[in-house]
Amino acid sequence: MEFVIYEQKERVGIITINREKALNALNSAVLNELEQILDSIDTNEVRCLIITGAGEKSFVAGADIKEMLDLDKSGGEFFGKKGNDVFAKIENYVLPVVCAVNGYALGGGCELALSCDFRICSEKAIFGQPEVSLGIVPGFGGTQRLARAVGMGMAKQMIYTGRNIDAPEALRIGLVNAVYAQDELMPAAEKLAGIISKNAPIAVQKSKIAINSGSQLPINKGTEIETRLFGECFETNDRRAAMGAFVERRKDIEFFNS
Ligand code: CAA
């Protein structure tokens, strides 16, 4: 892989967008590599992913403007679909995905962060959807996911103005869950992912499915899905072991993803 690094620490997989010279901008090659890595992870072994960017300046400074320069209508649509397909894969990925935003998260970078389950960031992070200043609409899901994350009014304001926001403002509007000093960001992300990875994996995965699918549905349909998934958990060995350990006052529980 030229532009994306994958490493595993215990049961946490860390994906780093590594195209620092271009502030980790997303060209087709980066998107392809990201997709290949997602397809190659052993999701029985790994229990939580972190996505971050290489270096101290940028998470991802957007889709690659140089690659987009000469695209025509069908080329633009093709590139948009490519990004949207990869980001949908992240959103629907079987494992939870924590985004550690270590700097600029602009355009496609903000959209990549939005496709993750939740975001934490460094105090140097800058978020924005500057696409209209380039004569395009956000094309990797920003018109859809930003409003779902921060509300229609704030999303429209960010997209129509193209104005960047800093980490404290991102925290205030709920775009990120927490802000850390730069050198504390990855330790915090790994700690969070470590906590998640110690919980019953099937229960975490089914929680993700319930939350994601329910967010598109009327609440009674969402709770129907929840009820089905809740029931399915009772068939798992991990559920039996965990409830048994509680009743017997044992704390030595380990989950086996079964
Ligand atoms: N695409 C391609 N190259 C990019 C890039 C991008 N999105 N962002 C930065 N780079 C490149 C620059 O061209 C530069 O490369 P060269 O040295 O070869 O010229 C290198 O990264 C460093 O960038 P700067 O010199 O511009 O760094 P800076 O510190 O002066 O500015 C910045 C940093 C404010 C992030 C600025 O780089 C910037 O504004 N980048 C573009 C941000 C943007 O508009 N993103 C949205 C893209 S459109 C999109 O994402 C569409 C979509 O929804 C899918």
Side-chain angles (χ1 to χ4, degrees):
M1 295 275 167
E2 192 182 350
F3 298 126
V4 184
I5 298 169
Y6 179 72
E7 62 180 313
Q8 198 184 317
K9 291 190 181 173
E10 298 184 356
R11 291 186 179 276
V12 175
I14 304 173
I15 295 175
T16 305
I17 310 294
N18 182 35
R19 195 182 169 221
E20 234 184 302
K21 272 197 295 194
L23 303 186
N24 303 323
L26 302 170
N27 61 14
S28 298
V30 178
L31 291 170
N32 286 336
E33 288 187 16
L34 186 52
E35 188 169 29
Q36 281 169 36
I37 281 181
L38 291 166
D39 287 342
S40 69
I41 291 168
D42 179 348
T43 54
N44 287 316
E45 171 69 19
V46 177
R47 297 199 175 160
C48 186
L49 293 184
I50 298 170
I51 297 185
T52 192
E56 298 232 323
K57 184 168 174 182
S58 183
F59 168 63
V60 166
D64 192 306
I65 299 168
K66 291 169 189 165
E67 181 169 332
M68 291 188 290
L69 182 63
D70 293 322
L71 293 182
D72 60 9
K73 182 181 168 200
S74 66
E77 211 173 303
F78 184 84
F79 190 50
K81 180 166 172 11
K82 174 93 215 157
N84 265 322
D85 286 351
V86 177
F87 290 7
K89 184 171 273 208
I90 295 169
E91 183 168 53
N92 298 314
Y93 203 66
V94 62
L95 303 177
V97 186
V98 178
C99 190
V101 180
N102 54 304
Y104 288 114
L106 302 177
C110 190
E111 292 165 307
L112 171 57
L114 284 163
S115 72
C116 299
D117 287 287
F118 59 86
R119 295 145 289 285
I120 60 175
C121 74
S122 85
E123 57 199 5
K124 284 168 62 182
I126 300 282
F127 296 82
Q129 298 286 166
E131 285 89 346
V132 295
S133 70
L134 293 163
I136 53 175
V137 303
F140 292 171
T143 61
Q144 305 305 307
R145 292 196 185 93
L146 186 60
R148 286 170 166 86
V150 302
M152 189 85 87
M154 188 55 76
K156 284 180 170 174
Q157 183 175 325
M158 282 179 67
I159 290 171
Y160 298 172
T161 63
R163 191 179 68 85
N164 292 343
I165 62 169
D166 61 13
E169 191 169 358
L171 181 65
R172 187 179 62 77
I173 66 174
L175 184 53
V176 299
N177 290 358
V179 180
Y180 297 91
Q182 187 81 6
D183 59 351
E184 288 168 14
L185 177 65
M186 282 313 288
E190 286 175 31
K191 189 172 171 196
L192 259 173
I195 293 170
I196 293 168
S197 71
K198 287 195 173 54
N199 282 323
I202 295 169
V204 172
Q205 291 163 19
K206 287 186 190 295
S207 298
K208 174 169 178 168
I209 294 169
I211 295 167
N212 279 7
S213 45
S215 70
Q216 319 286 335
L217 296 169
I219 195 159
N220 59 323
K221 295 288 171 202
T223 51
E224 272 174 27
I225 292 173
E226 184 189 80
T227 302
R228 178 172 55 76
L229 295 168
F230 184 68
E232 287 172 13
C233 290
F234 283 80
E235 292 183 310
T236 64
N237 293 326
D238 284 344
R239 193 280 308 172
R240 278 186 209 99
M243 290 191 179
F246 176 84
V247 171
E248 291 161 19
R249 296 186 173 275
R250 282 188 286 107
K251 295 218 183 293
D252 58 339
I253 180 77
E254 190 186 343
F255 293 112
F256 292 98
N257 204 6
S258 66

